[in-house]
Amino acid sequence: MKKLLKLSAVALMAAGVALPTMVAAQEEFSAIMITDIGGVDDKSFNQSAWEGLTAWGEEHGKERGVSGYDYLQSNSDSDFVTNINTALSSNFDIIFGIGFKLEPAINDMAQQYPDRHFAIVDAVVDQPNVASLNFKDHEAAFLAGVAAALTTETDHLGFVGGVEGVVIDRFEAGFVAGAQAINPDIEISVEYAGSFGDASRGKQIAAAMYANDADIIFHASGDTGNGVFSEAKDLVTNDPSRNLWVIGVDRDQAEEGIVTVDGEERHLTLTSTLKQVGDAVKQFAEQTEADGFTAGNTVYGLADGGVELTEGQLTDEVKEAIEEYRQQIVNGEIEVPETPE
């Protein structure tokens, strides 16, 4: 079920609305990414992007640094412009902004530096020197909702979001729609942490949801979600009879849900929604180095492997149901909502 994003340069153009602006490729090509809050070790969104950029660099014989590839970490929103200025002064050929929170900074800096090239993930910046890379997160989240509704023993699910906005709205809307497709009366608790980097807040929210009989929580909250995993593991360690699950986000978070109970490993990650940010970053860097920069908006979904769901700990029966719904989405028989009701 797990698929990797494999798009040629032609497919990258076809998947979105490409603008005609192009710049010839250069011999010495370098790329840098500016992280969202959480850093490259958040085991989620930023880490996936960094893995992709690192893979691009290593496969093309580049070294980490100003002549190859690198990242700058943002510890707060105020770091975005500072980091972009640092990347500009270091003369990187393309600057990736990882996350919708960088949209204002990328938009402003792209206008100030019209001869420089930018890419942003999870937002659309309509400038001739910016490429936008977006994902149909709601499609994968719908499948996660189906999986959760077919697995729950309490008919009570939880959703923990990081920061409210267009992107996380898609995760929430898709998850709720998928769960309700199985059981229209299922209870779903929704709460936002207000941060993508607050694991303690994630743990606090998860504790309240699990205490209220939710037995599966889907998080779309970056590093905050590590607190959700931590709470699930603590509760199961203290009471092994509890069947609690977490659904991971953006990359396969199976390892985050491993806990040792009575000397044996137990896996609490039911499944993870995949968002091939790393592949998109890697392949856009490859395309730009080879063919020159192309501005425009590219959108990846289930149909091209841009988003998916891992098999995780799902039963064969649940996997069969998910495949049926997956095909209906790809075929256009189900239109998954992008905004919560």
Side-chain angles (χ1 to χ4, degrees):
M1 185 180 299
K2 179 177 177 181
K3 297 186 177 181
L4 295 179
L5 178 62
K6 296 181 179 178
L7 297 176
S8 65
V10 174
L12 279 167
M13 294 285 290
V17 179
L19 298 177
T21 305
M22 296 190 70
V23 179
Q26 301 178 12
E27 291 183 4
E28 296 297 331
F29 186 82
S30 59
I32 190 169
M33 55 170 267
I34 312 300
T35 75
D36 195 351
I37 310 303
V40 295
D41 56 353
D42 65 356
K43 301 176 183 177
S44 186
F45 187 68
N46 289 297
Q47 184 169 333
S48 178
W50 176 236
E51 289 171 350
L53 192 62
T54 299
W56 166 75
E58 292 178 347
E59 289 179 16
H60 290 79
K62 300 179 184 295
E63 295 183 359
R64 183 177 171 186
V66 294
S67 61
Y69 65 98
D70 210 342
Y71 77 89
L72 292 171
Q73 182 160 315
S74 305
N75 296 315
S76 69
D77 292 6
S78 62
D79 291 336
F80 296 153
V81 171
T82 300
N83 285 338
I84 293 172
N85 273 318
T86 299
L88 287 166
S89 64
S90 299
N91 291 316
F92 281 92
D93 292 292
I94 187 162
I95 300 169
F96 288 92
I98 309 301
F100 69 88
K101 295 188 74 177
L102 280 91
E103 184 272 331
I106 292 289
N107 189 43
D108 289 346
M109 300 303 280
Q111 294 178 70
Q112 292 182 42
Y113 296 88
D115 295 328
R116 304 300 293 274
H117 305 116
F118 304 84
I120 187 165
V121 177
D122 271 358
V124 176
V125 174
D126 188 13
Q127 299 292 342
N129 57 335
V130 181
S132 303
L133 309 177
N134 287 281
F135 298 82
K136 297 180 181 180
D137 306 295
H138 49 299
E139 293 184 345
F142 183 98
L143 299 184
V146 170
L150 289 173
T151 304
T152 179
E153 297 175 357
T154 64
D155 287 333
H156 187 178
L157 311 176
F159 174 83
V160 177
V163 177
E164 291 187 71
V166 173
V167 174
I168 308 303
D169 276 357
R170 291 200 291 262
F171 283 100
E172 179 190 339
F175 182 67
V176 170
Q180 291 180 340
I182 300 299
N183 178 4
D185 298 320
I186 197 166
E187 183 177 359
I188 305 173
S189 298
V190 175
E191 189 161 350
Y192 282 78
S195 171
F196 290 112
D198 191 345
S200 62
R201 178 59 178 154
K203 184 176 174 66
Q204 181 183 36
I205 294 172
M209 288 184 176
Y210 286 132
N212 199 31
D213 286 335
D215 59 351
I216 302 173
I217 296 175
F218 175 36
H219 90 90
S221 57
D223 189 47
T224 297
N226 291 321
V228 178
F229 281 104
S230 176
E231 181 63 17
K233 290 190 285 187
D234 285 350
L235 290 173
V236 169
T237 298
N238 292 329
D239 184 0
S241 68
R242 299 191 69 177
N243 291 322
L244 303 179
W245 299 100
V246 180
I247 296 177
V249 72
D250 293 339
R251 64 195 298 271
D252 189 346
Q253 294 193 304
E255 292 187 4
E256 317 321 315
I258 297 176
V259 62
T260 301
V261 179
D262 296 330
E264 295 184 0
E265 277 192 356
R266 184 164 160 184
H267 295 259
L268 305 185
T269 304
L270 179 63
T271 180
S272 299
T273 60
L274 297 180
K275 180 172 184 171
Q276 303 297 0
V277 175
D279 286 339
V281 168
K282 176 177 180 289
Q283 293 185 29
F284 190 79
E286 289 174 343
Q287 174 193 333
T288 304
E289 181 178 23
D291 303 322
F293 177 84
T294 302
N297 182 29
T298 304
V299 183
Y300 310 100
L302 282 176
D304 51 34
V307 299
E308 258 298 350
L309 195 73
T310 63
E311 294 188 358
Q313 302 300 309
L314 302 175
T315 65
D316 289 341
E317 181 180 0
V318 172
K319 285 187 285 188
E320 288 178 6
I322 288 172
E323 184 58 27
E324 291 178 2
Y325 277 102
R326 182 185 184 281
Q327 287 303 317
Q328 290 181 60
I329 293 172
V330 171
N331 295 339
E333 299 169 23
I334 293 178
E335 183 176 349
V336 182
E338 298 187 45
T339 56
E341 294 183 357

